[in-house]
Amino acid sequence: MNELAPISKADEATASCLRRLGTEWADFEARLHATPLVKRLDQGKFRVEDYRALLLNLRQQVKDGACWIARAASHVDEAHFELRSILMRHAATEHRDYKMLEQDFVAAGGQLKDIQSADKNIGSEALSAWMFHEASKPNPFGLLGAMWIIEGLGSMKAKEWGEAIVAQTGLPRAAVSFLLYHGDNDDDHLKEFEAMLRLVAPAPGVADRVVKTARVTGRLYALQIEEIAV
Amino acid sequence: MTADAFLIATGAFMPGPPIPNARMEDHIGRVNGRDSALGRRALRWNGVETRHYALDDHGVATHDNAGLAAAAVAAALDDADRPSRDLGFLATATTQGDLIVPGHASQVHAALGAPPLELASFQSVCASSLMALKAAVLNVKAGEARLAAAVGSEFPSRWFRPERYEGTDLVDAKGRLPVEAEFLRWTLSDGAGAALVAPRPAADRISFRVDWIDLISYADRFETCMWAGAAKADRFDLSKSWSALGPAAAFAAGAIALQQDFELLKPIIRAWVARYLELVEAGKIDPDAVDHVLCHYSAESLRREIVELLVAAGSMISEEKWFSNLKTKGNTGAAAIFVMLDEFARTRPISPGDRALCVVPESGRAMVGFMMLTAVDGAER
């Protein structure tokens, strides 16, 4: 860890924002663990039908993920062109992800038409509406807080959950590809995130908005998981 | 309460000689006579190279828990050159005492042979150490005691002997223990450490002013992560605890052994880190102003994502400031921070004004403690 350079004073706004986001993350994670579905996983009682319910509910919101990022990019002005580029690349990388959820659902014994035709649950409705609402604002930098929460799920929870689901349900790894894939591929997200945050965090009010957006996103995401019947 | 409290002396008692990895199983034994397959992996993760056992190489106990604690308090009194009759308050910390009832502090008091004094028994896992130390500090600050002792002691190895597992549901058809139980056999060991707390620093040497102790539980949000007293799947329902089942049925169900849930440990570690970030953000900890970190988690054992976050958040304290004797003294749970403080105070060059941050995470049901110390030269005051 010694090769990592200490932060400079100019980056203090970014560092402070990251400290606050670290706390928001832990609070969000605790809320997730309090939901009936995640409790079942923590208690070693997860069933294949719990997994299918998770995929079916996640898919409706993941499908929107790349869309709100793209909408946010289109509201970033020329002065923040670099951030716009990063967001557009990001949207492109993720916009097929929900297809993996469909494949996993079928591999776990579900019917494609069921996952494709399912409605958003209450939490997903609220989460998606919130994201598009924020993304429609000029220079919607607060959404970095939403990315912090959602990408944190990819880099920290996906693999842990994927492995636990494989162990508890006996499903083949190929049926848990979305979770296992994200866990394997999200390693550099913190570096990318820090680079984006550095571009905007020093401006007045931005760090507060990023933290607030992380908090709201976390609450709505937890509601989405809470709404999954087990 | 504005009065100060100082750690004026420390003491440690490590039973028997240091035991290298290759000789561990002579002391804790081999379950069903087989070498453990998981042991090597556990040692790679915990980084311990030698430890001490209050069991001889046939597994026979050489001490009891209260005796270990009393020896550490006696060493601290010796260090301060004070008789035990000066003690007004004794707080003990342990995970599993010798008896279930009464409190461990009563047995430690008796073993120490000190005249009548006030007691407090703290029972948890690692963080019970800071509970005891905070009680001692507050008693001194409140003027309730002029000299207080806090002691952490552990004797887990006797619970690691094969006969504590064989014949229970914990052992699988091939005679092996699950990782939840086996890992701790290779991680925890015996020992005791103590600190003396007084309203003034020692006249002839460096003391440590206790600036603050911050201890916080997250049991409201996490399930039990390290435990004894329930089978793994039953630990969420206290109506199935060993107290409900009775000792014989609980033993058969494998409910008596110490166990650790490694999956749950991951979010709990992140909650500990988040608490630290919160204290930095609140200005309570200035990472640049910390000269020494004492933590019984090694920096190497933190996952890369956490170290990266700490660095990016301007909150990483560089590794050369970390002091630990985990490698040579083992992980002694509630005793660890005292055992570490004792060796730190004796072996490290410490200047007046140096700030030492002690970090005591407890996985039990998610708790973390921080303590800030400032070195003070009593002769200069």
Side-chain angles (χ1 to χ4, degrees):
Chain A
M1 72 187 65
N2 286 330
E3 74 271 18
L4 295 165
I7 61 150
S8 71
K9 286 283 173 216
D11 297 332
E12 177 52 24
T14 308
S16 164
C17 190
L18 281 169
R19 290 195 287 271
R20 293 165 67 193
L21 287 173
T23 307
E24 292 302 333
W25 169 266
D27 188 62
F28 165 59
E29 194 168 12
R31 284 178 192 280
L32 279 179
H33 282 269
T35 62
L37 189 81
V38 180
K39 249 190 200 308
R40 184 177 281 279
L41 190 64
D42 284 346
Q43 297 188 355
K45 300 170 183 163
F46 212 74
R47 305 157 305 186
V48 176
E49 52 263 44
D50 298 321
Y51 176 56
R52 281 200 301 263
L54 173 67
L55 294 174
L56 181 133
N57 282 271
L58 277 185
R59 184 257 183 203
Q60 318 313 328
Q61 167 254 317
V62 170
K63 184 167 66 71
D64 286 351
C67 301
W68 66 257
I69 297 176
R71 184 179 294 189
S74 73
H75 286 99
V76 171
D77 66 15
E78 208 176 333
H80 299 88
F81 188 78
E82 196 180 334
L83 182 61
R84 190 200 288 172
S85 301
I86 297 171
L87 291 173
M88 289 172 85
R89 279 200 301 276
H90 208 82
T93 319
E94 307 218 335
H95 87 289
R96 287 175 191 279
D97 273 6
Y98 75 96
K99 299 267 183 207
M100 288 176 79
L101 288 164
E102 294 176 355
Q103 287 159 15
D104 286 352
F105 186 77
V106 172
Q111 296 294 319
L112 188 59
K113 63 173 176 15
D114 292 342
I115 189 168
Q116 285 178 339
S117 63
D119 231 4
K120 284 192 176 84
N121 76 33
I122 291 172
S124 311
E125 290 283 7
L127 181 62
S128 205
W130 155 253
M131 297 297 209
F132 282 114
H133 173 72
E134 283 301 296
S136 304
K137 293 177 175 174
N139 286 332
F141 303 144
L143 278 174
L144 289 181
M147 292 174 75
W148 171 259
I149 293 294
I150 292 185
E151 294 195 1
L153 284 163
S155 61
M156 279 180 272
K157 303 307 287 181
K159 183 134 188 180
E160 289 173 20
W161 282 350
E163 296 291 353
I165 288 167
V166 168
Q168 291 178 32
T169 62
L171 284 167
R173 300 181 75 82
V176 192
S177 65
F178 178 81
L179 292 172
L180 296 172
Y181 162 87
H182 268 278
D184 279 341
N185 285 277
D186 282 12
D187 265 7
D188 288 325
H189 275 194
L190 179 65
K191 272 195 199 89
E192 286 167 24
F193 183 81
E194 191 203 351
M196 282 192 285
L197 191 60
R198 207 184 289 263
L199 296 172
V200 294
V206 170
D208 286 347
R209 190 65 200 162
V210 169
V211 172
K212 173 83 183 286
T213 309
R215 187 175 306 162
V216 174
T217 304
R219 290 291 277 272
L220 297 180
Y221 196 99
L223 180 63
Q224 167 178 263
I225 302 297
E226 191 187 315
E227 283 292 313
I228 302 174
V230 293
Chain B
M1 223 182 293
T2 53
D4 283 332
F6 298 86
L7 306 186
I8 60 162
T10 55
F13 181 77
M14 306 307 290
I19 305 299
N21 294 347
R23 297 220 323 268
M24 286 173 77
E25 286 179 304
D26 296 344
H27 296 261
I28 59 172
R30 292 168 176 81
V31 176
N32 291 310
R34 299 160 45 120
D35 287 352
S36 163
L38 282 169
R40 219 174 278 274
R41 188 145 67 89
L43 291 170
R44 260 202 310 278
W45 190 81
N46 65 36
V48 179
E49 289 168 5
T50 61
R51 79 283 295 143
H52 294 255
Y53 289 122
L55 298 174
D56 68 16
D57 55 11
H58 300 290
V60 178
T62 55
H63 300 77
D64 48 51
N65 187 336
L68 297 175
V73 176
L77 287 165
D78 229 35
D79 185 38
D81 204 16
R82 299 280 292 266
S84 67
R85 67 170 178 273
D86 284 2
L87 281 177
F89 179 74
L90 171 66
T92 64
T94 193
T95 307
Q96 294 174 295
D98 299 298
L99 297 184
I100 301 170
V101 177
H104 185 55
S106 295
Q107 308 304 338
V108 177
H109 177 200
L112 182 62
L117 80 170
E118 184 175 339
L119 295 179
S121 294
F122 291 92
Q123 185 275 318
S124 198
V125 197
C126 305
S128 58
S129 57
L130 284 189
M131 296 176 191
L133 197 48
K134 187 157 186 174
V137 165
L138 291 178
N139 265 281
V140 166
K141 285 191 173 200
E144 291 278 308
R146 290 216 307 273
L147 185 67
V151 57
S153 60
E154 298 285 15
F155 187 178
S157 64
R158 56 188 164 185
W159 292 100
F160 298 154
R161 294 285 306 163
E163 58 273 18
R164 304 294 174 101
Y165 305 97
E166 290 165 358
T168 76
D169 291 351
L170 279 173
V171 180
D172 71 12
K174 290 181 177 167
R176 296 169 308 192
L177 288 178
V179 61
E180 289 82 1
E182 186 71 285
F183 196 90
L184 294 176
R185 297 182 75 230
W186 293 83
T187 298
L188 301 175
S189 54
D190 310 336
L196 297 187
V197 187
R200 277 177 295 282
D204 54 343
R205 63 166 94 197
I206 293 277
S207 298
F208 294 98
R209 188 181 66 230
V210 180
D211 296 324
W212 48 261
I213 296 174
D214 180 283
L215 186 58
I216 196 150
S217 158
Y218 295 112
D220 62 322
R221 49 196 69 188
F222 289 112
E223 295 286 1
T224 304
C225 182
M226 179 181 160
W227 74 97
K232 188 185 179 194
D234 289 341
R235 72 187 195 277
F236 313 108
D237 179 358
L238 295 181
S239 73
K240 294 176 179 163
S241 72
W242 83 280
S243 296
L245 299 179
F251 175 76
I256 300 298
L258 268 178
Q259 298 189 65
Q260 171 98 65
D261 180 331
F262 290 94
E263 284 312 306
L264 192 50
L265 188 56
K266 294 170 188 170
I268 289 176
I269 290 174
R270 291 191 283 266
W272 297 337
V273 172
R275 179 60 181 167
Y276 169 72
L277 291 173
E278 211 169 20
L279 293 173
V280 173
E281 183 62 16
K284 211 162 175 182
I285 296 172
D286 174 359
D288 293 336
V290 171
D291 302 290
H292 312 277
V293 177
L294 280 69
C295 177
H296 78 266
Y297 247 69
S298 61
E300 307 95 74
S301 69
L302 289 175
R303 291 168 66 174
R304 188 172 70 102
E305 77 223 19
I306 288 178
V307 173
E308 284 182 354
L309 174 62
L310 287 171
V311 172
S315 306
M316 187 66 198
I317 299 173
S318 64
E319 227 178 330
E320 68 266 14
K321 291 182 178 175
W322 289 50
F323 174 85
S324 168
N325 55 6
L326 183 87
K327 273 195 171 71
T328 53
K329 297 291 198 293
N331 184 339
T332 53
I337 195 67
F338 296 106
V339 169
M340 215 176 290
L341 263 170
D342 184 64
E343 188 169 327
F344 170 70
R346 286 170 206 285
T347 61
R348 276 275 168 129
I350 301 163
S351 310
D354 275 11
R355 288 166 73 78
L357 174 67
C358 302
V359 185
V360 182
E362 166 169 319
S363 62
R365 193 158 181 173
M367 194 162 2
V368 64
F370 298 88
M371 173 169 68
M372 189 68 85
L373 303 174
T374 300
V376 172
D377 187 344
E380 284 179 2
R381 281 168 63 102

